[in-house]
Amino acid sequence: MERSNRECTIGTVEDFMLQIGRVVHAGEVELAIFRTSDGAVYAVRNHSPHPKGGPLAEGIVSGYYLYDPLHDWKIDLRTGEVQAPDRGQAEVYPVTVEGGVVKVTLPAAVTTLN
Amino acid sequence: MAAEREKLVLIGNGMAGVGTIEQILKLGGAYDITVFGSEPHPNYNRIMLSYVLEGSKTIEDIILNDLGWYEDNHITLHTGTTVTRIDEQNKLILTDNGLAVPYDKAIIATGSNSFILPVPGSTKDGVVGFRDIADCDAMLEAAKQYRTAAVIGGGLLGLEAAKGLVNLGMDVTVVHLLEDLMERQLDRTASSMLQAELTRQGVKFAMGKQTVELTGEERVTGLRFSDGSELPAEFVVMAVGIKPNVQLAKDSGITVNRGIVVDDYMQTSMSDVYSVGECTEHRGTCYGLVAPLFEQGMVLAKHLSGVQTPGYEGSVVATKLKISGVDVFSAGEFTETPEHTVISAKDEWKRTYKKILLKDNVIVGAVLFGDVTESANLQKLVKNSTEMTNEIYDEVMGTSCCGGGGAKKGMSVEAMADEEIVCGCNGVTKKAIVDAVTENGFTTVDEIKACTGATRSCGGCKPVVEQILQFVLGDSFQQGAKQGICSCTSLGRDEIVAEITAKGLRTTKEVMNVLDWKQAEGCSKCRPAVNYYLGMIYPDTHEDEKESRFVNERMSANIQKDGTYTVIPRMYGGVTTPEDLKRIADVSLKYDVKVVKVTGGQRLDLIGVKKEDVPKVWEELDMPSGYGYAKSLRTVKTCVGSQFCRFGTQDSMGMGAMLERKYERLDMPAKFKMAVNGCPRNCAESCTKDIGIVGNDGGWEVFIGGNGGIKPRIADAFCKVKTDEELVEVCSAVIQYYRETGNYLERTSEWVERMGLEHIQTVVMGNDDNRKELAARIDFALAQVSDPWKKMLDDKNTRTALFEETQV
């Protein structure tokens, strides 16, 4: 049984506008990709940790934080942690950028998450 | 050897019991805790059910402690499990599914049930109480299928249920045994004012009626009263009272009267078994409101945590009705007898009423209607049996000079006991708030909200929280508590706008940098606001920042909860053509639109368009965007007018379409709605619009500041004009003045009240030059706007980045 992580190329840096999220379907997982104002790229599962769910890609980005577009929860893009007074965790995935190419590492098990 | 922790079992997963557990955890009580709840949900705020029914909150919103909370605190939770008996001998809790859990201490907090009138037919389908989520669901469901409803009981719960059902579109009659509503909280004057107000809001009443039978076969079809008369109803809510849920206590051999009898430390007749909340009877009283639950819970929590505490001595009960737009408050004694001294003020024009009862000069009760700003203060005065003084009189009757009241207000919170509950919804004490200020250095209501939860639910306690802040911070309050537009800045709207103009700031980034924002790139509150202010100040040069727009405005479509979008094409003045309708139908079919709905503003909603299809839908519709998402002009609602209507005196369709074309697309502080009527019959409902226009034989009447939304407000008569040109100029000037002075997200209903109607009239009507300049400024701004969809379709990069999803 193969359990190794899967690295996915999702595009080049220019495909992602600064501070405007974009949806990427990587296999079974729907990702929301964000490029913060300093140019760093972050990948989050496009599903709000709020009990009512909903997408994240359309939120407002400030620094390393994302404001959930439907519920206004404040989420740390680096850790996925929801900021007080709300509680919860968004799923985040490691991103690497080499030579302008953006890659996301998805754990093998993630394919069963949806 | 370390002693094992004692086992504490809580029976009942409601507000009273869990509130007690929360206090025990805060006090560091060392227990292994198990909680039993018979409902399948985690713990929720029952007093907010009215809001769920009203639709302003969902069940998730009113959950107090989610499952994570139980886990985090190592509490074992059994939901959907009913405790059947407490075995005192073996110290075991026995349940309906065969569990036997040992305890050292147990708390019964089983609450209460709706009291169902024992009349024939009360078990028919379509008859419910109003106590829990299931009842609430039943009511929401019934409103979809049936039209007529009866609510038996004109008390607090009954009225909230009735208003909820009216909001859901039902024809609702409240049946009450007595002649006065809420007779246990209100005097006759307040009660009749309340009935008049609710009648205005669409609730019907059958007063002095005793229900003797519910008619119908399987399902209820109506009520029969003792006088022989009948009332048809397809749905009946019983809200005649509550019955303490004492079965478990009874079955376990605990002394029960009306409720479970407890002493001042909430101890029942069984050793090591306590009881709090609506199921208890303390000194002969069963309480059905929230404040006593927390007060009881506090005493019990201290007692169980080994903290010294005086016993519980009963509560002063205060009531507030949770119906938007109906402000009623009562505390303590309200019926006057010869031994009372009565202070009262009734204002039939403003529809307010205030009454304070004194006994030997001590404040023993109060009733407020229409204006409840003094409620928190009065509740405290009653509770502390305060003696009336000149200062208090001036303060509560609003007769003091300006400026004198502020400092005095701090004094009353000083006298407040540390343990007193300030926020009834979340059980936050004065001490918790004071600690948040002194230990964490918090200085604003928002910070206290984030840390303690106070003010987070209904917000009724905000004035008291502010007073506590003021009291604790003293002189530093002014500076510390200055309210910025959000937590990123201490600057208010006017200061930000002034700084932008004075310093020539051009982008949100620049504004936030120069004005020293605490969070460098702002938040979801200030970024859209600053982007708006920049666009308002520099209409020709400001480059709109998509990344600072709320999702709907960025995508020029409304996001729905499932992530699909709603597209609304413009229909100027609510008029369309067969050709356009055909195209809308074709596109809707092609893109598999889920629902086509006529909106409240006379347009068509195409609901459920997939995100990646949105640009294609716009392209193929080839119609201007209806801006159904925008903080700008939504619709101009019109009647048929003189073109076709036999009563029409003015061409309302023509005028409406012209105004909609003129002002469309321009950003405003908040959404903006207009209506034009061809005659005073007002078929387009201009009284609830930001600008409402009514045609008459010699010209037009203009109304402003109306709203039909969360806080309904009838528009104020603004002016009368004779010609179409004057009408347009007045509209232009009012809109531009609103654009220039409104706070972001402030509707005109709030703006008119903040600025004052007379002030706006003076600015717009008092000076012709002023009006012409305002109109010229809006024309300049209007010259800059363009259809977002044309722009988006031409700009492939933005279109791809916003709407297209990548597959890898």
Side-chain angles (χ1 to χ4, degrees):
Chain A
M1 190 168 62
E2 201 177 25
R3 301 283 303 169
S4 66
N5 290 345
R6 194 157 62 91
E7 202 175 53
C8 262
T9 301
I10 59 165
T12 65
V13 172
E14 287 75 39
D15 292 337
F16 304 98
M17 287 170 81
L18 285 181
Q19 297 190 301
I20 287 189
R22 176 154 189 191
V23 176
V24 172
H25 299 268
E28 301 285 301
V29 199
E30 188 175 316
L31 300 170
I33 309 294
F34 298 96
R35 210 170 134 212
T36 50
S37 56
D38 60 0
V41 182
Y42 295 91
V44 184
R45 184 173 163 229
N46 193 23
H47 182 84
S48 172
H50 186 279
K52 285 198 264 173
L56 288 176
E58 292 80 10
I60 287 181
V61 179
S62 166
Y64 298 116
Y65 294 98
L66 170 73
Y67 289 87
D68 173 326
L70 295 189
H71 320 289
D72 207 34
W73 278 17
K74 185 179 178 185
I75 298 167
D76 191 326
L77 287 172
R78 296 163 295 188
T79 61
E81 205 173 315
V82 174
Q83 306 295 296
D86 304 302
R87 274 179 307 201
Q89 182 109 33
E91 284 168 52
V92 293
Y93 306 104
V95 174
T96 53
V97 181
E98 275 172 46
V101 174
V102 184
K103 291 178 182 175
V104 178
T105 308
L106 301 171
V110 97
T111 50
T112 62
L113 262 176
N114 273 5
Chain B
M1 204 173 88
E4 223 177 78
R5 294 187 356 147
E6 283 204 297
K7 295 180 179 61
L8 173 66
V9 175
L10 167 65
I11 305 161
N13 188 26
M15 298 180 70
V18 177
T20 309
I21 298 289
E22 283 190 86
Q23 291 305 327
I24 291 175
L25 292 172
K26 273 188 203 155
L27 295 168
Y31 288 99
D32 270 338
I33 302 172
T34 302
V35 177
F36 288 98
S38 50
E39 283 188 70
H41 313 273
N43 162 262
Y44 61 89
N45 188 340
R46 195 180 295 277
I47 56 172
M48 312 281 287
L49 274 179
S50 307
Y51 295 125
V52 175
L53 191 62
E54 185 190 88
S56 62
K57 293 204 184 292
T58 65
I59 285 165
E60 282 84 5
D61 291 336
I62 68 165
I63 285 181
L64 291 172
N65 302 90
D66 59 16
L67 295 175
W69 177 82
Y70 295 88
E71 243 169 65
D72 293 348
N73 290 293
H74 311 290
I75 296 169
T76 312
L77 172 67
H78 299 276
T79 52
T81 305
T82 304
V83 173
T84 49
R85 204 164 65 81
I86 302 173
D87 177 349
E88 186 182 19
Q89 218 128 63
N90 302 307
K91 294 204 105 170
L92 288 175
I93 306 286
L94 308 173
T95 74
D96 59 348
N97 53 3
L99 291 178
V101 175
Y103 71 89
D104 295 300
K105 299 269 178 350
I107 303 173
I108 307 177
T110 44
S112 63
N113 297 320
S114 295
F115 178 68
I116 299 290
L117 283 177
V119 295
S122 62
T123 54
K124 287 187 197 304
D125 287 349
V127 182
V128 301
F130 184 29
R131 276 305 290 164
D132 55 25
I133 288 180
D135 294 334
C136 203
D137 283 342
M139 290 162 81
L140 290 166
E141 218 29 63
K144 287 185 200 153
Q145 293 183 46
Y146 303 99
R147 243 192 66 68
T148 54
V151 174
I152 305 180
L156 201 62
L157 264 186
L159 296 178
E160 290 178 3
K163 187 64 206 310
L165 292 172
V166 166
N167 285 356
L168 291 169
M170 293 190 92
D171 177 333
V172 182
T173 305
V174 171
V175 177
H176 197 49
L177 187 60
L178 303 172
E179 294 294 340
D180 295 321
L181 296 175
M182 286 179 70
E183 76 285 348
R184 290 201 297 191
Q185 288 93 15
L186 299 181
D187 66 349
R188 177 149 283 183
T189 309
S191 170
S192 64
M193 291 174 87
L194 173 63
Q195 187 175 342
E197 180 56 37
L198 287 170
T199 306
R200 264 163 42 98
Q201 297 194 10
V203 181
K204 296 176 182 167
F205 291 93
M207 305 298 285
K209 296 278 189 187
Q210 185 181 2
T211 310
V212 292
E213 189 186 348
L214 303 187
T215 57
E217 300 288 317
E218 286 272 288
R219 187 180 177 87
V220 67
T221 55
L223 279 57
R224 182 170 299 130
F225 302 125
S226 56
D227 59 10
S229 61
E230 294 194 12
L231 175 77
E234 298 159 291
F235 185 66
V236 175
V237 179
M238 293 259 192
V240 289
I242 54 170
K243 206 172 64 184
N245 191 355
V246 296
Q247 199 57 45
L248 163 69
K250 235 184 217 170
D251 293 348
S252 308
I254 295 171
T255 306
V256 168
N257 208 350
R258 190 172 165 244
I260 302 168
V261 177
V262 294
D263 67 9
D264 287 358
Y265 290 90
M266 313 318 291
Q267 165 84 54
T268 69
S269 66
M270 188 184 277
S271 60
D272 292 325
V273 176
Y274 299 82
S275 180
V276 286
E278 293 178 342
C279 57
T280 64
E281 178 178 320
H282 172 261
R283 299 191 187 178
T285 306
C286 295
Y287 294 96
L289 292 159
V290 70
L293 312 186
F294 285 119
E295 289 174 14
Q296 294 175 352
M298 189 79 71
V299 170
L300 176 56
K302 284 193 172 167
H303 182 65
L304 288 179
S305 307
V307 177
Q308 278 291 329
T309 174
Y312 173 68
E313 297 184 335
S315 298
V316 170
V317 180
T319 310
K320 251 174 153 174
L321 198 57
K322 293 181 294 300
I323 297 179
S324 43
V326 189
D327 293 318
V328 189
F329 166 84
S330 114
E333 300 173 25
F334 56 90
T335 317
E336 45 201 274
T337 65
E339 51 180 356
H340 286 112
T341 306
V342 181
I343 305 166
S344 76
K346 185 177 173 192
D347 182 332
E348 292 189 356
W349 185 62
K350 289 210 155 180
R351 287 197 280 256
T352 60
Y353 174 61
K354 191 181 277 184
K355 180 167 93 168
I356 298 167
L357 291 184
L358 308 181
K359 212 184 254 174
D360 301 328
N361 204 39
V362 169
I363 302 168
V364 294
V367 176
L368 300 175
F369 183 88
D371 173 5
V372 292
T373 41
E374 282 299 324
S375 60
N377 195 15
L378 279 167
Q379 184 176 348
K380 213 159 43 214
L381 295 172
V382 173
K383 186 173 171 167
N384 298 339
S385 302
T386 314
E387 222 169 291
M388 186 55 111
T389 62
N390 276 325
E391 286 77 20
I392 294 176
Y393 179 88
D394 286 345
E395 197 182 322
V396 296
M397 295 308 289
T399 47
S400 64
C401 302
C402 306
K408 299 248 164 47
K409 288 216 157 157
M411 302 303 283
S412 45
V413 294
E414 193 178 6
M416 193 190 261
D418 279 354
E419 302 319 325
E420 194 168 320
I421 304 280
V422 174
C423 172
C425 297
N426 300 305
V428 182
T429 59
K430 174 191 168 193
K431 185 168 188 300
I433 295 169
V434 171
D435 289 350
V437 178
T438 53
E439 285 166 22
N440 302 321
F442 292 154
T443 55
T444 66
V445 175
D446 278 345
E447 287 170 330
I448 288 175
K449 173 156 103 183
C451 166
T452 65
T455 76
R456 206 180 173 185
S457 297
C458 77
C461 59
K462 200 170 161 202
V464 185
V465 174
E466 276 168 356
Q467 286 169 31
I468 294 174
L469 261 176
Q470 190 171 11
F471 162 63
V472 178
L473 294 172
D475 288 343
S476 58
F477 173 71
Q478 278 308 326
Q479 188 201 355
K482 201 180 81 177
Q483 286 283 311
I485 58 167
C486 69
S487 58
C488 300
T489 177
S490 58
L491 298 176
R493 180 251 178 229
D494 292 346
E495 290 164 304
I496 294 168
V497 168
E499 292 280 349
I500 291 175
T501 319
K503 298 198 163 86
L505 307 174
R506 294 285 169 171
T507 63
T508 56
K509 197 166 249 178
E510 217 172 57
V511 170
M512 291 171 185
N513 262 331
V514 173
L515 303 182
D516 212 14
W517 240 244
K518 280 173 216 145
Q519 183 166 273
E521 294 178 356
C523 67
S524 54
K525 305 237 170 4
C526 59
R527 279 256 297 281
V530 172
N531 185 47
Y532 166 75
Y533 296 135
L534 287 166
M536 181 267 291
I537 296 168
Y538 309 115
D540 51 340
T541 53
H542 174 62
E543 197 159 319
D544 187 53
E545 297 173 12
K546 280 217 172 303
E547 67 276 15
S548 299
R549 289 279 193 172
F550 175 62
V551 44
N552 286 351
E553 294 171 77
R554 189 193 302 162
M555 314 296 275
S556 299
N558 296 57
I559 194 166
Q560 306 298 350
K561 62 182 185 181
D562 62 354
T564 63
Y565 288 81
T566 296
V567 164
I568 310 177
R570 267 268 179 236
M571 285 183 183
Y572 297 98
V575 178
T576 182
T577 63
E579 292 78 17
D580 279 355
L581 280 177
K582 188 159 179 293
R583 202 169 332 139
I584 288 171
D586 289 341
V587 173
S588 302
L589 280 173
K590 179 168 173 190
Y591 290 98
D592 201 17
V593 164
K594 285 189 197 136
V595 172
V596 179
K597 181 183 183 306
V598 179
T599 71
Q602 298 181 330
R603 298 183 293 185
L604 290 174
D605 254 340
L606 313 185
I607 304 176
V609 178
K610 286 194 272 311
K611 182 171 154 186
E612 64 268 29
D613 287 342
V614 172
K616 285 180 271 183
V617 166
W618 277 114
E619 190 164 21
E620 292 176 35
L621 281 173
D622 193 24
M623 294 175 192
S625 167
Y627 274 74
Y629 43 82
K631 315 273 175 273
S632 74
L633 178 64
R634 295 280 176 95
T635 58
V636 181
K637 192 171 184 179
T638 63
C639 66
V640 172
S642 62
Q643 286 189 35
F644 297 97
C645 174
R646 65 200 162 113
F647 301 114
T649 58
Q650 293 279 6
D651 178 9
S652 50
M653 281 200 291
M655 178 53 79
M658 192 271 269
L659 291 171
E660 187 163 347
R661 273 181 214 281
K662 181 170 172 69
Y663 300 116
E664 68 176 324
R665 301 173 185 150
L666 189 62
D667 285 328
M668 300 193 194
K671 65 176 166 186
F672 196 90
K673 300 177 177 185
M674 297 174 74
V676 183
N677 290 280
C679 81
R681 282 174 186 75
N682 200 1
C683 296
E685 297 158 342
S686 55
C687 50
T688 53
K689 298 295 180 283
D690 295 279
I691 294 186
I693 298 163
V694 178
N696 53 41
D697 222 350
W700 302 96
E701 278 180 75
V702 181
F703 296 82
I704 68 169
N707 188 350
I710 299 175
K711 276 191 206 152
R713 182 177 191 276
I714 298 295
D716 293 312
F718 186 70
C719 68
K720 292 182 186 183
V721 295
K722 292 211 171 67
T723 66
D724 292 359
E725 291 69 37
E726 286 172 279
L727 175 65
V728 173
E729 192 174 274
V730 167
C731 290
S732 287
V734 170
I735 296 174
Q736 181 64 12
Y737 194 53
Y738 168 54
R739 276 173 34 84
E740 290 177 6
T741 57
N743 296 325
Y744 189 66
L745 298 185
E746 181 181 45
R747 295 293 304 272
T748 57
S749 51
E750 300 159 301
W751 175 72
V752 168
E753 288 189 354
R754 180 169 62 85
M755 307 284 289
L757 178 69
E758 279 179 33
H759 168 79
I760 302 169
Q761 279 168 328
T762 311
V763 169
V764 173
M765 305 309 295
N767 181 326
D768 289 352
D769 291 345
N770 247 353
R771 181 169 65 248
K772 288 191 194 315
E773 278 164 27
L774 281 164
R777 285 207 290 278
I778 200 173
D779 284 342
F780 179 69
L782 284 166
Q784 322 295 328
V785 299
S786 60
D787 190 89
W789 278 105
K790 286 235 169 67
K791 235 160 81 185
M792 190 91 76
L793 294 172
D794 290 341
D795 177 357
K796 175 130 198 327
N797 285 345
T798 309
R799 178 179 167 170
T800 310
L802 285 184
F803 291 96
E804 283 180 21
E805 302 186 346
T806 313
Q807 298 279 347
V808 297

